[in-house]
Amino acid sequence: MTTETTTATDLTTFENLLAAITAPEGQGVQMKDPATGAVVGYAPQRTEADLDAAIATARQAQRAWGAKSHAERSAYLNRAADAVEAAAEALAELLSREQGKPLNGLNARFEVGACAGWLRANARFEIEPQVLVDDESGKAVLEYVPVGVVGAIGPWNWPMMISIWQIAPSLRMGNTVVLKPSEYTPLSVLGLAAVLNQVLPEGVLQVLAGDGALGAALTAHEGVDKLMFTGSTQTGQAIMRSAADTLKRLTLELGGNDAGIVLPDADPEAIAEGVFWGAFINTGQTCAALKRLYVHESQYDQMCEALVDVAKKMPMGVGTDEENVLGPLQNKAQFDIVSSLVEEARAGGARILTGGDPDEDQPGYFYPVTLVADIDNDNPLVAQEQFGPALPIVKYTDLDQVIDWANGLEVGLGSSVWGTDLDEARAVAARLEAGTTWINKHGAVDPRVPFGGVKKSGYGLEFGLEGLKSVALPKVTSW
Ligand code: NAD
């Protein structure tokens, strides 16, 4: 287990960073750039025996790490943020090549910057013991103590940022972390961990690349006390079942299918760019992206036109070309899901305003930005999570009806309301079933603001003080 803990090499260049994490050519799983098909590197594959060893190391390391003060651990997180910033360009290039997302826009450089930002924010939070009772009957104090070893499992869409969402609060609260990244983006997470491990004590953070079976082994492992999972609802359900035997604490951030409601008093031109990026951030491969847009009939045509105008201005292409702000789908399976949902919508009579015609001669999994109008609420492109650059735009006439539509699915991660009258927008927001409802924006996350889903989008919260508490155990002392 040595590849993740490089200390001597300068990891601020892409070549050095890659060399520190990749297996020798031909060994490990070949990772390819989804934009070009070029080989990026080889992900070392870990076994269950490696997992046992890593968890034993994590348990051992947790004693000293958990015994450190909050101030000491926060200092480590700040140094880790410095290391991320020093290696930012190398990390962004690695992420762009493996995940496919462009360097610019709300993509690779943004993601790496957010990693540093989340580390610093988690270092800053104050979590003091709470005196609950202090009177003639006695005293009771509530504190948050480490859970122990946190197992973390992540997806492929924001591999570095979501890993940091799991790592930063866990470490801050005195836990050690064993993380299994997605099999689609292991190098990105190994690269991030190599940079973090330049400053973290040995054994505090370990990343083991492997497939779903290794994730299942981590989930079931007796040596893991808490599991943080971000991924699909289906896998979340499998994890919950498997975690029952050891009664692990769980945080589950699962799939969504976020609705956005454009109210009659909204100004389509003014909101078009915000709606566009709410839907197409990371080329639509974002859990809390706007995935169903409901527009009042009085604004419908204008909104459609304004979105088409924005879409035409946004360059899509190879991630490492500086001008691009949209990239490919990360993998063939996701490309096929998006294509088939758009084709089903077309066959059902929906109108394709732009896109829907991938260039079959172009290498890579590029699917053009696709806006689909005149589509029914029960069409699969509306009812299922497309997780790609295709947005259905549904017309509505009645507010109660559209709120029913927005709440009509089994998931509830995010949602948004767009309008000029804030009181009216807030009244609608209050009726939406989602962990977060944004007004006149969508998907904007903030390390200070708790984030999580309701219904089948999962449970538990990340970020902010609530996020810290969710990777700790409440401990009451009373005398
Ligand atoms: P996925 O569920 O297919 O895979 C996620 C991870 O789980 C991978 O690392 C995979 O190897 C692992 N895994 C697979 N089977 C497992 C098992 N039986 N036990 C344990 N681990 C197992 O999800 P994905 O396709 O990588 O990600 C896309 C999904 O993630 C979308 O539904 C998206 O909405 C969701 N997502 C949610 C959030 C959020 O914060 N709520 C964020 C990003 C993505």
Side-chain angles (χ1 to χ4, degrees):
M1 302 307 310
T2 50
T3 47
E4 293 87 276
T5 46
T6 14
T7 45
T9 322
D10 167 19
L11 299 182
T12 62
T13 68
F14 172 69
E15 291 70 22
N16 285 357
L17 182 61
L18 184 65
I21 56 169
T22 188
E25 188 173 341
Q27 293 176 30
V29 173
Q30 192 180 62
M31 305 311 301
K32 290 184 177 174
D33 185 335
T36 61
V39 175
V40 181
Y42 298 86
Q45 294 301 288
R46 299 305 183 190
T47 63
E48 287 195 28
D50 294 331
L51 186 68
D52 289 340
I55 291 169
T57 300
R59 290 215 82 79
Q60 178 67 28
Q62 197 275 329
R63 288 193 203 135
W65 181 250
K68 289 189 191 302
S69 68
H70 277 293
E72 285 173 304
R73 289 193 298 260
S74 289
Y76 273 105
L77 292 194
N78 281 323
R79 286 210 291 281
D82 294 342
V84 169
E85 279 163 1
E89 272 301 295
L91 286 167
E93 184 172 344
L94 176 63
L95 179 59
S96 182
R97 287 185 188 278
E98 184 183 51
Q99 204 284 337
K101 63 182 69 190
L103 289 170
N104 290 317
L106 296 171
N107 293 298
R109 287 182 176 128
F110 165 79
E111 181 166 348
V112 173
C115 289
W118 245 266
L119 284 161
R120 290 198 198 287
N122 275 280
R124 259 196 310 269
F125 295 130
E126 287 189 19
I127 184 153
E128 300 295 336
Q130 229 180 309
V131 180
L132 304 172
V133 175
D134 185 8
D135 59 20
E136 62 285 354
S137 68
K139 214 166 172 179
V141 177
L142 172 66
E143 292 169 273
Y144 287 89
V145 300
V147 191
V149 175
V150 171
I153 300 176
W156 47 260
N157 56 342
W158 293 90
M160 289 187 185
M161 187 156 79
I162 289 173
S163 296
I164 280 291
W165 292 355
Q166 299 170 330
I167 294 166
S170 297
L171 294 186
R172 168 67 204 271
M173 294 309 288
N175 309 291
T176 51
V177 178
V178 176
L179 191 152
K180 193 212 79 71
S182 167
E183 51 273 51
Y184 290 110
T185 50
L187 296 176
S188 298
V189 182
L190 285 167
L192 176 67
V195 168
L196 300 174
N197 276 331
Q198 289 176 297
V199 302
L200 293 173
E202 200 164 338
V204 161
L205 168 65
Q206 298 168 87
V207 173
L208 279 76
D211 59 11
L214 194 68
L218 179 62
T219 308
H221 206 287
E222 291 203 338
V224 173
D225 304 289
K226 155 99 196 181
L227 213 92
M228 298 186 81
F229 172 73
T230 298
S232 65
T233 296
Q234 204 184 5
T235 307
Q237 288 168 319
I239 284 177
M240 202 167 173
R241 272 182 223 112
S242 142
D245 285 342
T246 47
L247 215 72
K248 282 187 186 67
R249 273 88 187 131
L250 296 176
T251 299
L252 301 175
E253 294 286 0
L254 309 178
N257 192 348
D258 291 9
I261 299 177
V262 178
L263 296 175
D265 73 345
D267 174 352
E269 245 110 76
I271 64 171
E273 196 153 329
V275 169
F276 180 87
W277 285 118
F280 295 103
I281 179 169
N282 200 27
T283 314
Q285 303 161 105
T286 299
C287 53
L290 203 171
K291 296 182 178 124
R292 309 174 270 154
L293 184 66
Y294 295 98
V295 183
H296 189 260
E297 58 181 352
S298 62
Q299 309 278 44
Y300 192 77
D301 292 340
Q302 277 166 280
M303 191 73 240
C304 288
E305 271 169 42
L307 282 172
V308 171
D309 287 347
V310 176
K312 293 207 160 135
K313 285 191 289 210
M314 300 300 172
M316 175 183 278
V318 174
T320 46
D321 290 352
E322 295 280 347
E323 72 275 16
N324 293 323
V325 291
L326 294 159
L329 271 310
Q330 203 282 327
N331 53 72
K332 171 86 166 58
Q334 199 58 45
F335 179 91
D336 290 344
I337 290 171
V338 176
S339 308
S340 84
L341 285 172
V342 172
E343 285 321 306
E344 229 178 308
R346 196 197 309 265
R351 188 159 53 96
I352 312 288
L353 298 173
T354 185
D357 54 349
D359 178 355
E360 278 163 23
D361 297 330
Q362 187 184 19
Y365 305 126
F366 287 100
Y367 197 92
V369 166
T370 301
L371 296 165
V372 182
D374 300 339
I375 183 165
D376 293 333
N377 188 51
D378 59 0
N379 188 290
L381 182 62
V382 183
Q384 292 171 27
E385 185 189 32
Q386 76 275 35
F387 216 63
L391 180 69
I393 310 172
V394 183
K395 191 186 288 180
Y396 76 90
T397 51
D398 177 67
L399 188 62
D400 289 335
Q401 168 79 89
V402 77
I403 290 172
D404 279 352
W405 282 348
N407 290 338
L409 300 182
E410 288 186 318
V411 284
L413 190 56
S415 59
S416 58
V417 183
W418 304 76
T420 306
D421 179 343
L422 255 190
D423 290 338
E424 167 70 5
R426 286 186 63 182
V428 175
R431 296 173 63 190
L432 295 180
E433 295 167 2
T436 304
T437 300
W438 289 278
I439 294 175
N440 292 326
K441 57 185 178 178
H442 196 115
V445 289
D446 181 320
R448 298 165 300 180
V449 180
F451 174 76
V454 299
K455 303 203 273 188
K456 286 191 179 168
S457 289
Y459 64 72
L461 287 167
E462 294 186 300
F463 315 165
L465 272 183
E466 296 303 322
L468 290 189
K469 289 177 186 173
S470 79
V471 282
L473 295 175
K475 164 88 194 271
V476 173
T477 313
S478 182
W479 64 97

